[in-house]
């Protein structure tokens, strides 16, 4: 029995949702560059779930479905207020809140195509409401109810701040959502598929995926990138800080990727967004610092930035608290999780790999008085 650590290079399933071939990321065959430059997030969600882009009427109908489903049960908000607000990370809060959502959906365990579609709409629409509500509750503020006349991206920023965003912020956040929507069989997506392959429900699958995304080697990397930038503080400090970290063999978050050997195709879009937003906010040091770190790590280690690296300064420039970066990742990636969950249900087989045993052999039982 041959094994591969971390299942690297192992093809575990077939999927038509997204692909990474020769360093090119596509969603149902559409290049991520085309989608990032042209698509609304709502169009991308529709594409991931329906295998095609919507026409105008379909898109308007889909937007309305999402907007109408964005409010969460009041009991879930009240439960959130009982969390140990000052001590709990937003990802832990989101994991618990999404699990709670399943308790208030009478169709949670129904498996029909229509029931699953309605659960998909609710989960996609309500994750932003949960993330923004938690952020405001811990700041001692009341949650802001979603509006039905805003785009998905604008509505998130509105519920977070209480103010409708400007066009540039809305466009930047929309692009970030598009770029994070799916990424083939990543750790959280694989977790979601393993969960629902037991014929568990969609809420369980998404809750499990959030648990996997919470880890710093997956979704938590962008938060740690911003922590590093904050510690460096100024552009002139970047080179000595990074070179010292490299000398001590400290992992620089936001660089390298197991799948991409010639660079993450999403990074260039986030780099440009970082440049524009930091210029608008007057805090160009975050972009300049990032570029300097990029140059050093690329030259010294041959590692290129991934999607997490420049997304940190993008979210910071949008005024988003740093520990919300990973929950925002979930707000986008739930679209991909759901696409894979639906695909798993369509042709399901229990996912049950084997393990090569490396423990002791032929042990003999000894009564307890002889041990």
């Amino acid at each position: 029995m041959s094994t591969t650590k971390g299942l690297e290079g192992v093809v575990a399933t077939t999927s038509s949702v997204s692909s990474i071939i020769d360093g090119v990321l596509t969603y149902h065959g559409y290049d991520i560059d085309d989608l990032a430059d042209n698509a609304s997030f709502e169009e991308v969600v529709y594409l991931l779930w329906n295998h095609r882009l919507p026409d105008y009427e379909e898109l308007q109908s889909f937007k309305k479905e999402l907007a109408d489903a964005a409010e969460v049960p009041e009991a879930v908000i009240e439960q959130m207020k009982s969390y140990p607000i000052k001590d709990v990370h937003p990802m832990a809060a989101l994991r618990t809140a999404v699990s709670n959502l399943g308790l208030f959906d009478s169709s949670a365990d129904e498996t029909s195509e229509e029931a699953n579609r309605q659960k998909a709409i609710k989960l996609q629409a309500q994750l932003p409401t949960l993330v923004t509500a938690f952020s405001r509750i811990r700041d001692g503020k009341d949650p802001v109810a979603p509006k039905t006349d805003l785009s998905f991206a604008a509505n998130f920023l509105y519920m977070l701040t209480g103010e409708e965003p400007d066009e540039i912020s809305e466009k930047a956040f929309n692009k970030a959502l598009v770029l994070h929507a799916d990424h083939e069989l990543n750790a959280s997506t694989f977790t979601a598929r393993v969960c629902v392959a037991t014929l568990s429900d969609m809420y369980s699958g998404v809750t499990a995926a959030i648990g996997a995304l919470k880890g710093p080697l997956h979704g938590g990397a962008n938060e740690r990138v911003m922590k590093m930038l904050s510690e460096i503080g100024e552009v002139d400090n970047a080179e000595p800080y990074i070179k010292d970290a490299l000398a001590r063999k400290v992992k620089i978050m936001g660089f390298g990727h197991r799948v991409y050997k010639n660079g993450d195709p999403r990074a260039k879009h986030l780099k440009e967004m970082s440049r524009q937003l930091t210029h608008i906010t007057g805090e160009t040091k975050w972009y300049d610092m990032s570029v300097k770190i990029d140059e050093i790590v690329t030259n010294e280690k041959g590692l290129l930035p991934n999607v997490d690296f420049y997304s940190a300064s993008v979210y910071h420039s949008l005024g988003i608290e740093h520990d919300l970066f990973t929950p925002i990742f979930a707000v986008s990636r739930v679209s991909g999780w759901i696409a894979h969950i639906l695909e798993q249900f369509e042709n399901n087989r229990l996912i049950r790999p084997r393990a090569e045993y490396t423990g002791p052999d032929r042990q003999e039982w000894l009564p307890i008085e002889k041990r």
Side-chain angles (χ1 to χ4, degrees):
M1 184 186 298
S2 62
T3 63
T4 303
K5 190 173 183 180
L7 299 182
E8 183 171 357
V10 173
V11 177
T13 190
T14 60
S15 176
S16 67
V17 179
S18 66
S19 68
I20 303 169
I21 301 172
D22 296 329
V24 177
L25 172 63
T26 71
Y27 300 164
H28 282 297
Y30 288 91
D31 193 305
I32 193 62
D33 290 341
D34 286 341
L35 295 173
D37 288 337
N38 299 298
S40 68
F41 180 62
E42 293 92 330
E43 286 178 288
V44 167
V45 178
Y46 189 98
L47 168 65
L48 290 172
W49 296 358
N50 296 280
H51 306 189
R52 62 179 179 82
L53 289 169
D55 61 27
Y56 179 81
E57 294 299 330
E58 288 170 330
L59 180 59
Q60 299 314 305
S61 176
F62 188 60
K63 285 182 175 180
K64 185 176 187 306
E65 282 188 284
L66 289 172
D68 289 346
E71 286 195 26
V72 303
E74 185 61 29
V76 174
I77 299 295
E78 290 303 312
Q79 288 174 348
M80 197 178 286
K81 292 177 181 178
S82 72
Y83 297 170
I85 297 295
K86 293 183 179 179
D87 301 320
V88 69
H89 191 282
M91 279 298 286
L94 181 62
R95 179 193 60 209
T96 301
V98 169
S99 183
N100 281 340
L101 283 181
L103 301 178
F104 295 92
D105 188 339
S106 59
S107 66
D109 291 319
E110 292 183 22
T111 58
S112 70
E113 184 176 335
E114 181 56 27
N116 282 333
R117 185 180 183 281
Q118 290 305 314
K119 283 179 279 189
I121 291 288
K122 288 179 182 179
L123 280 160
Q124 185 68 65
Q126 292 175 6
L127 255 70
T129 313
L130 293 175
V131 171
T132 55
F134 177 80
S135 177
R136 293 183 67 85
I137 288 169
R138 70 175 180 174
D139 289 341
K141 302 174 183 176
D142 292 328
V144 174
K147 284 190 173 183
T148 58
D149 59 345
L150 296 178
S151 70
F152 191 96
N155 210 15
F156 179 91
L157 296 174
Y158 166 70
M159 288 191 291
L160 188 66
T161 66
E163 298 179 2
E164 294 188 21
D166 58 64
E167 185 177 349
I168 294 175
S169 296
E170 178 183 358
K171 183 177 179 181
F173 193 65
N174 177 83
K175 184 172 286 194
L177 293 173
V178 169
L179 292 169
H180 286 88
D182 196 57
H183 204 232
E184 202 222 44
L185 206 58
N186 56 84
S188 55
T189 298
F190 186 61
T191 300
R193 293 190 75 136
V194 170
C195 180
V196 301
T198 68
L199 296 185
S200 188
D201 64 284
M202 192 178 291
Y203 290 99
S204 296
V206 171
T207 301
I210 291 171
L213 187 70
K214 182 175 177 288
L217 293 184
H218 190 11
N222 52 14
E223 181 183 341
R224 292 178 66 178
V225 170
M226 199 62 223
K227 182 177 184 292
M228 175 182 68
L229 294 177
S230 299
E231 288 175 354
I232 294 171
E234 300 295 338
V235 178
D236 290 343
N237 299 335
E239 185 168 356
Y241 180 100
I242 296 299
K243 288 197 171 182
D244 175 68
L246 292 174
R248 292 185 291 112
K249 300 188 184 302
V250 174
K251 181 176 177 63
I252 309 298
M253 301 305 292
F255 283 88
H257 199 285
R258 185 179 289 184
V259 175
Y260 299 114
K261 304 307 179 186
N262 297 312
D264 189 329
R266 301 165 296 177
K268 61 181 178 290
H269 295 282
L270 289 158
K271 181 178 181 179
E272 176 58 20
M273 288 159 54
S274 174
R275 186 191 69 80
Q276 292 181 21
L277 288 170
T278 56
H279 179 75
I280 291 169
T281 62
E283 290 194 305
T284 56
K285 70 174 186 177
W286 302 116
Y287 173 76
D288 295 337
M289 203 185 308
S290 299
V291 170
K292 187 66 176 176
I293 296 168
D294 185 348
E295 292 172 353
I296 296 168
V297 176
T298 299
N299 291 333
E300 298 269 336
K301 302 294 291 182
L303 295 174
L304 297 170
N306 57 40
V307 72
D308 299 306
F309 186 65
Y310 285 103
S311 68
S313 50
V314 167
Y315 293 151
H316 176 80
S317 298
L318 290 171
I320 296 170
E321 293 177 85
H322 300 168
D323 62 359
L324 293 180
F325 290 1
T326 311
I328 288 171
F329 196 150
V331 164
S332 170
R333 183 56 60 84
V334 69
S335 60
W337 293 335
I338 289 169
H340 283 269
I341 286 170
L342 295 173
E343 187 176 64
Q344 185 68 37
F345 281 148
E346 285 174 3
N347 186 26
N348 187 57
R349 182 171 173 78
L350 179 69
I351 299 173
R352 202 294 190 192
R354 298 292 308 280
E356 181 180 5
Y357 178 68
T358 60
D361 191 23
R362 299 184 181 279
Q363 299 246 61
E364 291 187 12
W365 172 266
L366 290 175
I368 194 165
E369 62 272 11
K370 293 185 179 182
R371 295 177 202 164

